[in-house]
Amino acid sequence: MNEIDPAHRFSMDAVRNYEAPADGDKAGGINDVARQVASQYRRDTMSPIMVSGVLRMVEFAMLFLSGLCVYFYYVGFFNYLAWQYPLAIAATSFLTVVLLDVTDCYQIAALMRPLANFGRVLLVWAGSFALMALTAFAIKASEDYSRLLFGTWFIAGFLLIFGLRLVMSTLIRRWARDGRMERRALIVGGGKAAEQLIRSVEKQPYNDIRICGIFDDRNDKRSPPIVAGYPKLGTISELIEFARIARIDMLIVSLPLTAESRVLQLLKKLWVLPVDIRLSAHSNALQFRPRAYSYIGSVPMLDIFDKPINDWDSVAKRAFDIVFSLIGIIVFSPVMLVTAIAIKIDSKGPVLFKQKRHGFNNEIIEVYKFRSMFTDRSDPTAKQTVTKNDPRVTRVGRFIRKTSIDELPQFFNSLFGSLSLVGPRPHAIAAQSHNLLYNEVVDGYFARHKVKPGVTGWAQINGWRGEMDTNEKIRMRTEYDLYYIENWSMLFDLRILFLTPVRLLNTENAY
């Protein structure tokens, strides 16, 4: 058994530091066919993980409430509520959800086939009751429970669970058919290897993978234009734009693991995308430890990169943004009101300045700031960096820029969802360093857009804020941003958020 660790073989640092040979492939716009294919996919999709997660909560609530309803029916709503009944009902409901999860009853394949899983669900529900009865017997409390009450709940609870699963199977099939619940995948690399991979994935019943096309740098002689019924839509560089438009979830690289230099060359281009990247292992002769693989049905995959801040993490981060943005707006509302009045008195023009910047997945967003420049000298494209004693900046502007008060309106960006409170700071779409765009200065610069940009970030509290007048400064800011993405956690966000006011006292680079 080969014990090579694939995560080590293709680590983030290995990909970023890999010097890919020049292959003459320049990034460009995708062709009309690829653009038409990309634009047809719905944008209001649902994650299968989120759907099954919500179902867990709904089933727990349904079981718990049905148990209470049965209790109130037999005992009466206004009679004394014995604490052991709600406790036993809650414990049994929770245990049932846990056991259903352990037995894979929340997998999409199981949810789409409720009749085939009838016996498994019934066994789990009966097992939960058996464990409850055994616990009551062990603590000598079994005589306190009504057999009629719990017998009624057993029947009612199972009918509710199974009825819900019948409804869910219909909904999931409809969502899958309409393209609302799916994981969109692109095949990287064509030829026989891609054909075998596609055939293997399509053989998996009830999988939620939709293959959207194939991208390969090789010409049509070496890589056919159509593989297993799927068109080759362009080159690897064109894949990046396609993936952003079509909201792709996963890239599956269909190259042999032994072609390490070629795989690294591809990953060097693809790691900037906020997607899962998997290396197909179904035809590899090398074998790894079982835990090294993930699976699409029974097709083994090696996990190269995971999409950062995904599924439930994104829900937690969004809740974090809403709560703390509202707190920030309330706390700083007097400061924002005084600032708006001062700007209006100091110079002509609007109080707010709106600037287009790169957001999540390179989408263009509009960011709010208090206006700090004279209206006729403002630079919405940010081609010219603000420098010390810049004549374009007003008197009030100098103060609010040094203290970062000009950024306070971005609490509203965070509340509405175009920004996060914590993340890589968004840069203007035409921001430059020595007449070079930032992405021309820093290799892999767009990888900082794999997550939603933030009002404050790890780079800012480490001193990399303000004027970006050298290539080294933008490189260092990008390094700190990538560190944040690779090491994100809710505690990390809290740490950055609470350190921000302290670190803003250093105004050395803020002009």
Side-chain angles (χ1 to χ4, degrees):
M1 181 73 70
N2 193 317
E3 293 296 322
I4 297 173
D5 181 0
H8 175 73
R9 176 185 287 271
F10 297 114
S11 67
M12 180 73 77
D13 288 338
V15 171
R16 288 168 56 189
N17 296 327
Y18 176 71
E19 295 295 334
D23 58 2
D25 183 18
K26 302 296 183 183
I30 59 177
N31 59 65
D32 292 339
V33 174
R35 187 175 297 279
Q36 184 177 359
V37 172
S39 62
Q40 74 181 358
Y41 293 108
R42 299 180 61 131
R43 300 177 74 85
D44 58 337
T45 56
M46 299 178 292
S47 163
I49 293 175
M50 296 293 289
V51 170
S52 62
V54 171
L55 182 61
R56 288 173 175 87
M57 293 186 286
V58 171
E59 287 193 337
F60 170 78
M62 184 180 291
L63 291 174
F64 179 66
L65 292 175
S66 65
L68 286 183
C69 288
V70 171
Y71 175 81
F72 289 136
Y73 177 79
Y74 281 106
V75 178
F77 187 81
F78 296 103
N79 290 343
Y80 174 69
L81 182 64
W83 64 269
Q84 66 265 31
Y85 275 97
L87 182 62
I89 291 169
T92 305
S93 301
F94 179 76
L95 179 62
T96 301
V97 172
V98 171
L99 291 177
L100 287 171
D101 192 15
V102 169
T103 55
D104 293 332
C105 289
Y106 288 110
Q107 297 295 321
I108 295 299
L111 294 176
M112 294 180 75
R113 303 172 64 211
L115 294 176
N117 290 275
F118 178 91
R120 195 190 311 179
V121 175
L122 180 60
L123 183 62
V124 165
W125 184 227
S128 298
F129 268 76
L131 286 172
M132 178 186 65
L134 185 61
T135 302
F137 176 78
I139 63 174
K140 299 181 179 180
S142 57
E143 293 183 358
D144 297 332
Y145 293 100
S146 167
R147 291 167 177 77
L148 178 61
L149 189 155
F150 280 101
T152 304
W153 183 39
F154 179 86
I155 296 171
F158 180 75
L159 290 176
L160 285 172
I161 289 180
F162 193 71
L164 176 62
R165 285 171 175 260
L166 288 173
V167 172
M168 284 301 300
S169 70
T170 302
L171 289 176
I172 289 172
R173 290 173 188 273
R174 181 185 302 167
W175 292 336
R177 185 174 61 251
D178 295 344
R180 292 194 61 190
M181 196 185 77
E182 60 189 6
R183 285 186 293 168
R184 296 171 185 165
L186 292 176
I187 306 299
V188 182
K192 288 291 184 183
E195 183 176 0
Q196 292 174 11
L197 170 63
I198 292 170
R199 300 294 187 202
S200 298
V201 171
E202 288 184 333
K203 285 180 182 177
Q204 306 306 312
Y206 307 109
N207 82 73
D208 59 336
I209 297 294
R210 173 180 287 196
I211 297 173
C212 301
I214 299 169
F215 285 80
D216 197 347
D217 285 339
R218 295 173 296 179
N219 59 36
D220 289 351
K221 290 183 178 179
R222 298 178 60 198
S223 175
I226 297 179
V227 177
Y230 293 91
K232 185 173 70 175
L233 297 174
T235 65
I236 304 304
S237 293
E238 293 167 341
L239 177 154
I240 294 175
E241 184 178 351
F242 182 95
R244 297 192 192 282
I245 297 172
R247 300 290 184 93
I248 296 299
D249 300 298
M250 180 185 299
L251 304 179
I252 304 176
V253 181
S254 66
L255 293 176
L257 193 59
T258 50
E260 181 169 333
S261 61
R262 180 56 178 153
V263 173
L264 279 168
Q265 188 176 346
L266 291 175
L267 295 179
K268 182 76 172 179
K269 297 179 180 179
L270 301 177
W271 74 285
V272 301
L273 289 169
V275 298
D276 295 328
I277 300 181
R278 304 288 182 253
L279 180 62
S280 170
H282 79 290
S283 60
N284 276 311
L286 291 174
Q287 296 294 316
F288 298 99
R289 296 186 299 270
R291 68 174 181 271
Y293 296 108
S294 62
Y295 292 87
I296 297 175
S298 61
V299 180
M301 302 281 172
L302 292 174
D303 297 351
I304 306 301
F305 295 131
D306 291 324
K307 181 178 180 179
I309 316 181
N310 198 20
D311 295 321
W312 289 106
D313 285 341
S314 65
V315 174
K317 189 167 174 64
R318 182 67 187 126
F320 177 95
D321 290 341
I322 292 172
V323 171
F324 282 95
S325 295
L326 287 172
I327 292 173
I329 290 169
I330 294 169
V331 170
F332 291 104
S333 56
V335 178
M336 289 192 277
L337 179 60
V338 171
T339 302
I341 294 171
I343 291 171
K344 206 66 180 173
I345 293 173
D346 184 51
S347 61
K348 294 180 181 180
V351 168
L352 291 179
F353 174 69
K354 299 177 183 178
Q355 188 176 57
K356 294 188 183 300
R357 300 190 178 188
H358 278 125
F360 170 70
N361 204 18
N362 270 31
E363 292 179 350
I364 305 301
I365 61 173
E366 199 169 57
V367 172
Y368 308 137
K369 296 180 68 174
F370 280 123
R371 181 175 58 82
S372 59
M373 293 184 179
F374 294 102
T375 304
D376 58 348
R377 301 184 192 177
S378 63
D379 180 17
T381 62
K383 286 185 178 180
Q384 183 180 347
T385 304
V386 177
T387 58
K388 192 172 184 178
N389 299 320
D390 196 313
R392 298 175 298 165
V393 180
T394 65
R395 290 175 301 172
V396 171
R398 289 194 179 90
F399 176 76
I400 64 175
R401 290 179 73 92
K402 268 192 171 295
T403 56
S404 292
I405 290 175
D406 64 324
E407 311 282 1
L408 290 180
Q410 288 169 30
F411 278 120
F412 290 97
N413 280 112
S414 177
L415 182 63
F416 299 147
S418 57
L419 292 182
S420 183
L421 267 183
V422 181
R425 286 289 297 146
H427 295 153
I429 55 178
Q432 297 182 357
S433 173
H434 300 294
N435 296 320
L436 290 174
L437 295 172
Y438 286 169
N439 64 293
E440 297 172 324
V441 174
V442 182
D443 189 23
Y445 167 81
F446 286 126
R448 64 194 301 278
H449 300 152
K450 290 166 73 171
V451 300
K452 194 179 293 186
V455 178
T456 184
W458 183 234
Q460 281 62 44
I461 70 167
N462 281 280
W464 301 103
R465 59 185 286 256
E467 184 182 8
M468 292 287 105
D469 55 347
T470 67
N471 291 350
E472 181 62 18
K473 285 183 178 181
I474 186 58
R475 287 194 187 98
M476 289 305 299
R477 180 182 282 190
T478 303
E479 283 296 316
Y480 276 91
D481 290 338
L482 295 180
Y483 177 88
Y484 166 80
I485 293 171
E486 294 164 23
N487 296 276
W488 175 86
S489 70
M490 290 299 294
L491 288 177
F492 197 12
D493 271 5
L494 279 171
R495 178 186 174 191
I496 294 171
L497 190 62
F498 288 119
L499 280 176
T500 296
V502 178
R503 300 300 169 86
L504 287 181
L505 294 176
N506 179 10
T507 60
E508 181 181 354
N509 294 322
Y511 307 133

